[in-house]
Amino acid sequence: MRLLILGTGSMANAHAKNFSEIEGVTLAGAVDVNISSVEAFREKYGIERAFTSLDDALAWGDFDSVANITPDSIHYATTMQCLKAGKHVFCEKPLAVNHHDAMEMADTAEAAHLVGMVNLTYRNVAQLQAARKLVTGGQIGKVKHIEASYLQSWLVAKMWGEWRTESRWLWRLSKKHGSNGTLGDVGVHILDFVVYATDTEIDEIFCRLKAFDKADGNKIGEYDLDANDSFTMTVSFTNGALGVVHSSRWATGHVNELRLRVYGDKGSLEIQHRHDGSKLMVCLGDDVETATWKELEVEPVSTNYQRFVEAVAQGRTLEPSFRHAAKLQKAIDLATITESDRKEHQLEANLA
């Protein structure tokens, strides 16, 4: 597989490193509007060609797949351009900034018989894959209740740097700089964590968003600090379960932690995925009577990068697919509807 890396920001390093380690993959080209950045990236990873525009790269065309690591706001335009040129696409999350665009991307890839997959990175967590097998195998019975959280602490701690002075963090707090806050940044991850592990889909969702005061006038330089930094959701699922999902950047003591608890009528499981390791805990069988929890050892799993290469080789899309990501985007779109919007929609419905 000959791969073009589109965008050479920080996440592009993970793509280049992982893809270059897979047998049969050639890093054929790299694209970035900044000539010095793309040349340095090309040299670092031994990439054949460097371009400052996607148009130029597609005109050259000596590649069959694209890793799209551009900013969220241009995933749609750049991916559509690549699909129309007959290239398979591995896109960073979120697939698009709204459900309509995400669905068009999925429809276009499928109609052209091209592989369209999304880098929902926590699919690489072996404990998540093992948890799904427990659910689909019936070991915990019928799922009744779900708890999930994605907690970060970079607004109160400096393990990732000083957010008040670094643009890579400030833009994530500003709507006019393209941020949909915590919901847009990590919401897709925790929702995918939930629906994948429990083998279900989201039926209904209600969400509250909040941006806390962070500076005088909630402004630092050109950045208005108005994007949400916490959210809480109540969710119903197509398998009949109810759940609560929440996330915050104010979670002191939690660098980067996803946690999922799934309660069934035969047993329960809990995944803890932290920056320093992961665990899968279960309460099954006779242990249900004594509320005894045990840790399960799990085997390593293939990464999204490996699955994308496999999908291109087979000529069929594997998960996580564009269509799956589009469904998640629909849930996120619904989560952004404010209470006043809901009342307005309800009033319109009543009047109709």
Side-chain angles (χ1 to χ4, degrees):
M1 187 181 83
R2 290 179 59 79
L3 179 73
L4 178 81
I5 296 184
L6 178 58
T8 62
S10 58
M11 191 61 191
N13 290 284
H15 284 253
K17 179 178 182 298
N18 280 278
F19 278 121
S20 66
E21 292 174 351
I22 300 173
E23 185 177 356
V25 175
T26 298
L27 301 184
V31 181
D32 197 290
V33 294
N34 186 313
I35 184 63
S36 59
S37 295
V38 73
E39 283 293 350
F41 191 82
R42 183 194 64 77
E43 184 174 346
K44 180 178 181 180
Y45 293 104
I47 299 171
E48 293 178 6
R49 298 283 297 272
F51 303 90
T52 55
S53 80
L54 178 57
D55 287 339
D56 289 346
L58 290 173
W60 172 59
D62 191 15
F63 56 94
D64 47 54
S65 305
V66 178
N68 189 345
I69 318 149
T70 57
D72 299 354
S73 60
I74 60 173
H75 283 177
Y76 168 76
T78 51
T79 294
M80 291 296 288
Q81 195 174 350
C82 293
L83 292 173
K84 290 174 181 177
K87 309 300 182 183
H88 306 288
V89 179
F90 183 65
C91 188
E92 264 302 318
K93 64 79 191 173
L95 180 58
V97 296
N98 61 66
H99 176 246
H100 177 273
D101 288 353
M103 283 298 294
E104 185 179 350
M105 295 159 78
D107 289 342
T108 300
E110 290 171 7
H113 304 289
L114 293 168
V115 173
M117 293 175 60
V118 180
N119 191 27
L120 295 168
T121 52
Y122 296 106
R123 291 290 185 95
N124 303 332
V125 176
Q127 286 76 9
L128 178 67
Q129 303 282 345
R132 179 181 171 89
K133 290 180 180 178
L134 289 174
V135 173
T136 58
Q139 282 94 323
I140 71 167
K142 184 173 176 57
V143 175
K144 300 291 188 180
H145 192 79
I146 298 166
E147 298 177 63
S149 60
Y150 193 142
L151 304 177
Q152 295 180 329
S153 59
W154 57 267
L155 286 176
V156 290
K158 297 181 177 130
M159 286 188 70
W160 291 351
E162 174 52 78
W163 68 265
R164 295 173 182 83
T165 59
E166 297 182 29
S167 60
R168 67 185 179 125
W169 300 118
L170 284 168
W171 82 264
R172 297 176 186 271
L173 305 173
S174 176
K175 290 180 181 178
K176 74 179 182 182
H177 285 81
S179 176
N180 190 20
T182 303
L183 179 66
D185 195 17
V186 303
V188 69
H189 279 313
I190 192 60
L191 290 177
D192 180 63
F193 212 73
V194 171
V195 300
Y196 182 73
T198 56
D199 189 33
T200 190
E201 294 184 5
I202 293 166
D203 186 24
E204 295 181 321
I205 192 167
F206 177 77
C207 182
R208 291 190 179 276
L209 308 168
K210 181 147 188 178
F212 292 90
D213 292 339
K214 292 178 280 294
D216 291 340
N218 277 318
K219 187 178 180 69
I220 294 179
E222 64 181 278
Y223 299 93
D224 296 321
L225 309 182
D226 55 356
N228 65 85
D229 35 53
S230 287
F231 71 75
T232 59
M233 295 177 178
T234 53
V235 187
S236 63
F237 299 93
T238 55
N239 64 1
L242 290 178
V244 291
V245 181
H246 66 97
S247 181
S248 181
R249 293 166 172 164
W250 293 97
T252 307
H254 298 272
V255 178
N256 190 67
E257 178 183 302
L258 291 85
R259 182 167 294 199
L260 173 66
R261 297 184 177 101
V262 182
Y263 305 105
D265 57 11
K266 293 182 180 178
S268 299
L269 63 85
E270 177 176 346
I271 307 170
Q272 301 171 20
H273 177 70
R274 292 165 41 90
H275 66 288
D276 55 0
S278 304
K279 291 182 179 180
L280 173 59
M281 308 294 294
V282 296
C283 181
L284 301 171
D286 293 339
D287 289 339
V288 170
E289 300 299 332
T290 57
T292 300
W293 288 80
K294 297 175 180 175
E295 183 177 358
L296 288 188
E297 296 297 323
V298 302
E299 296 295 324
V301 296
S302 298
T303 66
N304 287 338
Y305 306 101
Q306 292 168 324
R307 283 194 290 274
F308 179 68
V309 174
E310 179 185 351
V312 171
Q314 295 178 358
R316 65 185 184 95
T317 295
L318 301 176
E319 294 295 335
S321 65
F322 277 13
R323 188 157 299 278
H324 172 74
K327 291 178 181 178
L328 294 178
Q329 190 59 49
K330 183 177 182 179
I332 291 173
D333 286 2
L334 290 172
T336 62
I337 297 176
T338 65
E339 188 170 359
S340 60
D341 287 336
R342 289 177 186 274
K343 291 178 179 178
E344 181 179 340
H345 294 326
Q346 184 62 48
L347 177 60
E348 290 175 353
N350 290 338
L351 290 174

